[in-house]
Amino acid sequence: MEIKPSARSEEDGILLHLEIPTADAPDTLWLTYWHHLLKEHEEVTPGIIVPLVAEHGNFFEGNVDYSVYRWAAPETDSPIYVSLRDGKHYLARYWAVFPKDKVRIRFDTHTGTTLIGGPSSKFFKAQATLDRLLEEDVFNASPLMVTSDPSRMMKDSLTAALYKKSFERPESVSVKLEFIIPEAEKQEYLLRLLQKAPADYEAIQAIPSLQDGLDSSQQAFIEQRAWAGVLNSALPRLKQGKRHLVSEPYSTLFKQWLEAVPEYGEMGMLDPMMVQAKYDLLLMEARMTDVGVFALARDEHTLLRDQLVGKYVLENYKYLEAAQESVLLSGMDIVHTPWIMDLLVQLEHRSDSS
């Protein structure tokens, strides 16, 4: 993992100005950025880490009670992705930053609000709002447990009492653990998931308002990130009933559900969160159909295909044992995107030298 000091202070590039109340502020805020992101992992695309050292705010800049962190990004002509971390706590994760973006963000831990200003504020407000909407979808969903025998769990008196108490809470403001007992209840649960159209998710319905005032590239990103968020939220739940997705009526409903999601393979920019969703879907389909990952990936547009193949090789290489060389060479035969090919070549060199 590469660590570099913050660089550049020119007014014509990307500028991030960040504030946290001094009472809660760390000495150093850790920023990680990626020109290309497949997965945040040392052996895939670890990113470049930049330590942002706190400065004291002052009366003249309106931030006397705040610690201030500034970053002038290296010059770039394409979007980058940025995560901000205070220790293990993320303030922002995988936000897109476009060339020449300039923004001031105050993470006010005292009031629980995030205040955003500067020329690029609308774009960052849209990303922050989208994060909240997607997190609220998870927050408002019932916790799930797949088990063949719920009564075994209830043998513990404290657990049984807590479970009983959950049913006494007001339904309007409470969620309750939902037991999924194979197989009939899995099918019922799966049917409920598939009957909720992707367009019914609040994040999708909010796209037009979030895009208001943004340029075309920013609008395209917000739309793609919203759909990626819905996929990444829904797919882990759908996996609970994946063995039924190959039979009717679930296979038709699943196909219709996926057809409602726009295709982004021909775009010049693919959101890493969309690639992750498509990758999880690819693995899910491979397990359901016994068709190989590479064979399924070949049907995708070039940019998406290359990222799916590269991601598979890089993430799984060390677990492939005797198949390492053949899988790597097959991946290199498919991939044409230069930066992904570079990652595969680096992997080959590391393997040869070990």
Side-chain angles (χ1 to χ4, degrees), residues 144-150 163 177-193 237 240-241 244 250:
L144 189 67
M145 176 174 285
V146 179
T147 178
S148 59
D149 186 11
Y163 181 63
L177 177 68
E178 185 172 358
F179 286 110
I180 302 297
I181 305 172
E183 281 299 323
E185 291 193 13
K186 271 191 178 182
Q187 295 177 51
E188 180 185 340
Y189 178 73
L190 185 61
L191 194 60
R192 277 190 281 128
L193 287 176
R237 305 176 204 175
Q240 298 298 331
H244 300 292
Y250 311 104

Side-chain angles (χ1 to χ4, degrees), residues 28-42:
T28 303
L29 198 62
W30 296 95
L31 180 148
T32 307
Y33 72 95
W34 296 263
H35 292 286
H36 301 294
L37 172 59
L38 286 176
K39 182 179 181 179
E40 186 177 359
H41 190 280
E42 181 68 34

Side-chain angles (χ1 to χ4, degrees), residues 78-93:
S78 59
I80 61 176
Y81 300 94
V82 168
S83 289
L84 296 167
R85 180 170 51 84
D86 171 5
K88 294 183 179 180
H89 172 62
Y90 282 92
L91 301 174
R93 200 161 194 189

Side-chain angles (χ1 to χ4, degrees), residues 141-144 163 166-171 174-178:
S142 295
L144 189 67
Y163 181 63
S166 70
F167 284 88
E168 299 172 4
R169 307 294 186 193
E171 290 188 8
S174 302
V175 295
K176 298 172 181 63
L177 177 68
E178 185 172 358

Side-chain angles (χ1 to χ4, degrees), residues 150 153-165 179:
M153 181 179 176
M154 297 304 161
K155 288 180 181 179
D156 176 74
S157 59
L158 177 59
T159 301
L162 290 172
Y163 181 63
K164 181 181 177 181
K165 188 71 174 177
F179 286 110

